Amino acid sequence: MKRSLLAEFLGTALLVTVVVGSGIMAQTLSPRDVGLQLLENSTATVFGLAVLIVVLGPVSGAHFNPVVSLADWWQGRRTGVGLSMGELGGYVAAQVLGGIGGAVLANAMFDKSAITWSSTPRSSAHLWLGEVVATAGLVLVIFCLTRSGRTAVAPLAVGGYIGAAYWFTSSTSFANPAVTIGRAFSDTFAGIAPASVPGFIAAQLVGGVIGLVLVHGLFGRPAAGTAEPVIPHPDVR
């Protein structure tokens, strides 16, 4: 379990470092073109997320996302597959701490104060709807792959979905409470004002529920041998 928690901490930290760091770089390279900034930011995120899933998936399953971990626990609570309640708490704590650490690291790399609270407000109904859609789609992609036995393509599919959702959702697809919290610690292109964080997280949780309902509608209840998301990994507990 210690290895799994380290992998979740490290993976979430590096994911937020990629998101925030590439956002800062995009602002530096393309200061007058917001569309180009988003393209640069989303491209780095797609590649970074895919690599992190490939590298750390065999250790922890590469959740890097409390919503995914919650869905894993909920789906497997009757069959005994997936996270236990105690393991879920450990995963979520590691992910949130990793998200904060990743933002602090990105700030430091670009010679900014370690913690610079974001001043970018993101509190509107249409943005919350965007987060519901983004998170529901992410859960749908991950658990459809799991239930159909195609987790080998998860790095490509998950990275590709997030990259697309940057562009087709109004919120630019945070789709992750740990990443959302981390992004509040950086007053840069990828930031979100702390006051806007609760609304985003609530929308993400709603999206997670909708995503699981859709998965169950498509595949029914999971069987006892259903693999773990995102990448099945050996039991090291």
Side-chain angles (χ1 to χ4, degrees):
M1 190 59 185
K2 292 180 180 178
R3 295 175 183 175
S4 296
L5 295 180
L6 176 58
E8 287 298 301
F9 172 84
L10 182 61
T12 311
L14 292 175
L15 175 58
V16 174
T17 300
V18 169
V19 172
V20 173
S22 64
I24 297 172
M25 181 64 80
Q27 280 185 310
T28 302
L29 297 177
S30 311
R32 297 181 182 85
D33 192 333
V34 178
L36 188 54
Q37 290 173 10
L38 185 61
L39 177 61
E40 293 159 351
N41 189 211
S42 61
T43 301
T45 302
V46 168
F47 288 116
L49 178 56
V51 169
L52 290 172
I53 292 173
V54 171
V55 172
L56 297 175
V59 181
S60 69
H63 294 191
F64 312 149
N65 187 331
V67 170
V68 174
S69 297
L70 276 166
D72 181 31
W73 165 77
W74 180 262
Q75 179 177 261
R77 71 194 190 285
R78 289 197 181 99
T79 62
V81 175
L83 299 176
S84 68
M85 178 61 77
E87 291 164 347
L88 171 63
Y91 264 51
V92 172
Q95 292 157 356
V96 171
L97 291 174
I100 295 171
V104 170
L105 176 59
N107 288 336
M109 284 198 299
F110 286 90
D111 197 26
K112 298 182 179 297
S113 298
I115 297 176
T116 54
W117 297 111
S118 176
S119 59
T120 304
R122 300 179 189 264
S123 295
S124 300
H126 72 282
L127 298 179
W128 298 332
L129 177 59
E131 279 301 285
V132 170
V133 171
T135 312
L138 177 62
V139 170
L140 185 66
V141 168
I142 290 171
F143 284 87
C144 281
L145 291 176
T146 300
R147 298 291 294 278
S148 60
R150 295 180 295 158
T151 54
V153 300
L156 176 63
V158 174
Y161 173 78
I162 290 297
Y166 257 81
W167 291 91
F168 75 74
T169 63
S170 57
S171 62
T172 64
S173 184
F174 286 47
N176 185 328
V179 169
T180 302
I181 292 171
R183 289 168 73 160
F185 284 73
S186 183
D187 190 19
T188 57
F189 177 77
I192 176 173
S196 300
V197 169
F200 261 52
I201 292 177
Q204 291 157 0
L205 292 173
V206 171
V209 172
I210 293 173
L212 265 189
V213 169
L214 292 173
V215 172
H216 289 183
L218 292 169
F219 290 94
R221 291 186 176 182
T226 300
E228 297 179 72
V230 175
I231 299 293
H233 59 288
D235 186 359
V236 297
R237 297 187 285 274

